[in-house]
Amino acid sequence: ESWQKLEKSLDELFIDDLIHDRNLMAENPIITLVVDPGEISKQEMSLMLKSIYAQNFPAFEVLIPKRLSDLISAEIIAYENLHFIDPKDKNLKNYAIKKAKGEYISFIEDNVILNPLTLKSYIDAIYNSTYDMVSCKIGKFKDYKSSNYYSQELVYSYRNYTNPNKKSTLNYLDLGLSNKLIKKAFLNRIKFNFSNDNAADVK
């Protein structure tokens, strides 16, 4: 009833085209999150996934290497938008790009906590720019203690964008992937291949 009232009151927005079915949403994600943290316990994995599923931006899917399946609760495994991938000896990131259904991709490789606005912040940043990669503040945790995930935000400011060759303490990129969202079409267009060197890949 509420949905029908909303459609009638806002017919100029064509909201009847919006996805409001869980299975259909899972098949049509906007963001793909590839979750492959380093050493992590079952409890820590649960904390991280709960922070992902607490997002107020629901149009995402989660890809997790099959080898980590024992760390994930049956409740979360049952979610429509969680999928296990098994790249075997292939590079996980390059394999995940081929499997990803989202327009954008993020590689979560550290023990991180996302606040509920993280995915929406990514989308707002990348929709309102011409950039192929954006960065966002996230938190990390170790031994159940949280801290900031190191991120150099000033590199994205106008003055550094206009003169990127002038090196200073303000315009070096942070070299992690866990705080970034990347356009999948861009990676495909330039035929980018991820290596096992995150610093080189981010540069």
Side-chain angles (χ1 to χ4, degrees), residues 23-188:
N23 290 301
L24 193 56
M25 177 79 76
E27 288 300 311
N28 297 275
I30 294 173
I31 294 176
T32 296
L33 299 170
V34 183
V35 178
D36 184 25
E39 194 172 316
I40 191 169
S41 69
K42 189 168 185 174
Q43 291 77 16
E44 289 170 332
M45 178 67 93
S46 177
L47 279 174
M48 183 160 57
L49 290 174
K50 282 179 180 176
S51 80
I52 290 172
Y53 279 98
Q55 295 299 302
N56 69 354
F57 182 89
F60 67 89
E61 68 172 346
V62 177
L63 302 184
I64 301 180
K66 196 173 181 180
R67 59 183 161 74
L68 299 178
S69 60
D70 290 344
L71 299 178
I72 301 166
S73 69
E75 177 192 359
I76 292 178
I77 285 175
Y79 289 166
E80 293 87 346
N81 61 344
L82 184 139
H83 309 287
F84 290 108
I85 55 176
D86 188 12
K88 295 188 169 61
D89 55 350
K90 302 182 187 78
N91 182 294
L92 175 73
K93 294 188 195 76
N94 295 326
Y95 183 80
I97 290 169
K98 293 175 185 173
K99 292 292 182 182
K101 294 176 184 171
E103 297 173 51
Y104 306 95
I105 193 163
S106 180
F107 299 97
I108 298 179
E109 301 184 303
D110 300 284
N111 297 7
V112 301
I113 293 287
L114 309 184
N115 78 54
L117 292 172
T118 299
L119 296 189
K120 187 169 188 310
S121 298
Y122 275 143
I123 287 298
D124 288 347
I126 210 159
Y127 273 11
N128 297 313
S129 74
T130 58
Y131 301 121
D132 297 305
M133 179 177 76
V134 294
S135 182
C136 186
K137 265 193 167 182
I138 60 174
K140 67 177 181 178
F141 65 92
K142 186 175 183 182
D143 300 324
Y144 301 99
K145 293 179 182 175
S146 63
S147 61
N148 286 329
Y149 183 92
Y150 174 73
S151 173
Q152 176 58 276
E153 295 177 324
L154 287 174
V155 70
Y156 303 104
S157 70
Y158 179 75
R159 63 182 169 179
N160 290 319
Y161 175 68
T162 55
N163 191 5
N165 294 320
K166 185 178 179 184
K167 296 300 178 191
S168 74
T169 56
L170 300 181
N171 66 354
Y172 281 104
L173 280 166
D174 66 275
L175 301 177
L177 279 169
S178 295
N179 62 339
K180 296 181 177 57
L181 185 73
I182 311 168
K183 284 184 182 176
K184 196 175 73 170
F186 166 71
L187 295 173
N188 289 332

